[in-house]
Amino acid sequence: MYNVQEIAPAIYWVGGTDKRLERFENMFPLPQGVAYNSYLIMDEKIALMDTVDSAISAQFLENIEHVLGGRTLDYLVVGHMEPDHCANIEELLRRYPELKIVGNKKTFQFMEQFYSFSKPDNYLIVKEGEELSLGEHTLRFMMAPFVHWPEVMFTYEVSKKILFSADAFGCFGSLSGNIFSDQTDFDGVYLEESRRYYSNIVGKYGPQVQNVLKKVAKQDIEMICPLHGPVWRENLSYILDRYQKWSAYQPEKRGVVLVYASMYGNTENVMNLIASKLSAKGVQDIRMYDVSKTHPSYIISDAWKFSHLVFGSPTYNLGLYHGMQALLHEMASLNLQNRKVSLVGNYTWANAAVREMTEILESMKKIEFVGEPFEINSALKPEQLPELDQLVEAIYASLNADAAEAAAAGAGATV
């Protein structure tokens, strides 16, 4: 049965949700599933904004047929060529042979890489700033390369001031009837998943996101329609401000994330002591993760949120513990930067963990090491507690310095 919602006069959400999918891109856990958004603009000419994943094709095609009411589909605008948004292009061409597919040059290169059909007579190649009139509605195209693929394109509908933003401003998590962010407890339901989505999917491309945010700022926008997650029609500055901060690699909050690997609990014990000592000093909202138990996407999301990170790991096979090595390499590949970092190492006969963690972190931008690395030989000894206290004090002092700097900046802004 069709399931559509009108999001603005003559503009319909025709997407769907998949609550059964367990991993996004077969990699990232989806405890609440995922939404695939698509939008249909009814006018003298009818335009569909992207398609959906093959998992919900039947629902999607039924939705389109219902809204069309016997009319034909004139345009399909392809904002992003990833298969979770373009899996139905060939089926739409079969149903609507005169359909014009709108995209940029790179769009069609990728389309013919993914699929076996080639329909150049159906292709309409557009460039930055070009417009397409549907009648009362006008579509203006805005290139957004590497947000997060090179062919990505935003579309701005001029009359209703709607930005169709491809994967930008999206999030993990399915929709449950309420398709607008203001209909939900966004902070409680979607914010963490928005950050996890951004940091792991788009996070590598902060400079490119900054560039497209400058383009977006020049438009008068009243609604943002992403391809995943809720639609934004109120308080747009909320999500725009977060994208500004995330893409500039600025922490949202002063605080500490402790991440550790521990085979027999000795490294974990040190990390627990650090956390307890910081808590005793008044540090709040401390996060702790075991790399062997927590999917790295959740750790990376909190690394994007907080200002200070503490990594603890044993040496393993004359190198770095595999889970910690993988996490740090992933953080480096995602271009995480501008963080304060402290290190804890553990070794029995070969000392490599701190050295290898340092090498990876030094390859990243704007990483400041706080305190001297703290190392134990197999297990913590009482005589090492003063040294551990020094590390805790260094972290605490760094947090306070950041707080003082932020307060000074805030005071300066109000002058």
Side-chain angles (χ1 to χ4, degrees), residues 47-114:
L48 178 67
M49 313 305 293
D50 289 282
T51 79
V52 299
D53 188 83
S54 59
I56 62 165
S57 292
Q59 177 73 71
F60 168 68
L61 294 167
E62 189 171 352
N63 290 347
I64 292 173
E65 186 175 334
H66 169 75
V67 177
L68 287 176
R71 294 182 64 186
T72 193
L73 185 61
D74 298 293
Y75 297 105
L76 167 63
V77 178
V78 180
H80 185 22
M81 264 303 300
E82 206 163 0
D84 58 334
H85 303 300
C86 64
N88 295 272
I89 295 175
E90 190 167 10
E91 177 60 29
L92 289 171
L93 281 170
R94 277 196 288 265
R95 294 183 178 215
Y96 309 103
E98 302 304 312
L99 175 67
K100 291 293 184 182
I101 305 175
V102 183
N104 55 67
K105 186 176 180 181
K106 185 68 72 172
T107 305
F108 297 109
Q109 176 192 330
F110 287 0
M111 191 176 298
E112 296 192 358
Q113 288 175 196
F114 273 110

Side-chain angles (χ1 to χ4, degrees), residues 25-322:
E25 297 178 345
N26 206 25
M27 190 175 352
F28 305 102
L30 292 175
Q32 304 301 324
V34 68
Y36 302 109
N37 298 330
S38 176
Y39 309 90
L40 192 62
I41 303 174
M42 301 294 290
D43 206 328
E44 294 173 22
K45 297 290 186 179
I46 300 174
L48 178 67
M49 313 305 293
D50 289 282
T51 79
V52 299
D53 188 83
S54 59
I56 62 165
S57 292
Q59 177 73 71
F60 168 68
L61 294 167
E62 189 171 352
N63 290 347
I64 292 173
E65 186 175 334
H66 169 75
V67 177
L68 287 176
R71 294 182 64 186
T72 193
L73 185 61
D74 298 293
Y75 297 105
L76 167 63
V77 178
V78 180
H80 185 22
M81 264 303 300
E82 206 163 0
D84 58 334
H85 303 300
C86 64
N88 295 272
I89 295 175
E90 190 167 10
E91 177 60 29
L92 289 171
L93 281 170
R94 277 196 288 265
R95 294 183 178 215
Y96 309 103
E98 302 304 312
L99 175 67
K100 291 293 184 182
I101 305 175
V102 183
N104 55 67
K105 186 176 180 181
K106 185 68 72 172
T107 305
F108 297 109
Q109 176 192 330
F110 287 0
M111 191 176 298
E112 296 192 358
Q113 288 175 196
F114 273 110
Y115 303 110
S116 58
F117 66 86
S118 178
K119 298 279 188 178
D121 291 342
N122 294 78
Y123 300 167
L124 177 59
I125 299 176
V126 295
K127 298 179 181 178
E128 178 76 32
E130 290 186 347
E131 295 185 348
L132 175 64
S133 175
L134 305 179
E136 294 184 3
H137 300 83
T138 299
L139 305 181
R140 181 183 300 152
F141 304 104
M142 183 189 310
M143 302 303 137
F146 289 101
V147 185
H148 59 119
W149 278 24
E151 90 302 351
V152 170
M153 180 176 76
F154 291 1
T155 302
Y156 178 66
E157 199 291 296
V158 176
S159 68
K160 300 295 190 299
K161 302 177 181 179
I162 298 175
L163 181 69
F164 297 94
S165 62
D167 265 354
F169 312 113
C171 70
F172 296 135
S174 60
L175 301 174
S176 299
N178 299 133
I179 67 169
F180 294 102
S181 61
D182 57 276
Q183 294 176 320
T184 71
D185 173 13
F186 189 87
D187 279 3
V189 178
Y190 290 110
L191 177 57
E192 295 294 328
E193 290 293 68
S194 293
R195 185 187 304 103
R196 187 165 70 97
Y197 179 87
Y198 175 86
S199 58
N200 288 275
I201 304 298
V202 189
K204 182 180 181 69
Y205 303 106
Q208 289 84 355
V209 174
Q210 291 272 299
N211 288 337
V212 82
L213 286 174
K214 292 175 185 176
K215 292 184 183 181
V216 168
K218 296 177 182 178
Q219 310 296 325
D220 182 11
I221 299 171
E222 294 186 358
M223 185 180 294
I224 298 176
C225 294
L227 291 178
H228 296 292
V231 172
W232 289 86
R233 64 180 178 183
E234 295 184 8
N235 195 21
L236 271 59
S237 61
Y238 178 104
I239 193 65
L240 289 169
D241 288 349
R242 276 167 173 76
Y243 259 64
Q244 177 64 39
K245 189 176 291 287
W246 293 340
S247 59
Y249 305 99
Q250 296 175 355
E252 291 175 69
K253 186 174 182 179
R254 288 182 300 279
V256 184
V257 181
L258 296 102
V259 185
Y260 65 88
S262 191
M263 290 184 287
Y264 301 107
N266 292 302
T267 308
E268 180 181 19
N269 179 49
V270 175
M271 302 297 278
N272 280 329
L273 281 170
I274 293 172
S276 295
K277 289 173 181 290
L278 287 170
S279 178
K281 288 179 173 293
V283 179
Q284 299 180 4
D285 200 15
I286 298 168
R287 305 292 176 90
M288 290 190 69
Y289 294 104
D290 181 340
V291 296
S292 297
K293 297 188 69 175
T294 303
H295 191 276
S297 65
Y298 292 97
I299 303 173
I300 287 166
S301 178
D302 266 352
W304 237 265
K305 180 177 181 180
F306 289 97
S307 59
H308 288 65
L309 310 173
V310 182
F311 297 104
S313 176
T315 296
Y316 191 84
N317 276 346
L318 305 183
L320 185 58
Y321 191 87
H322 300 162

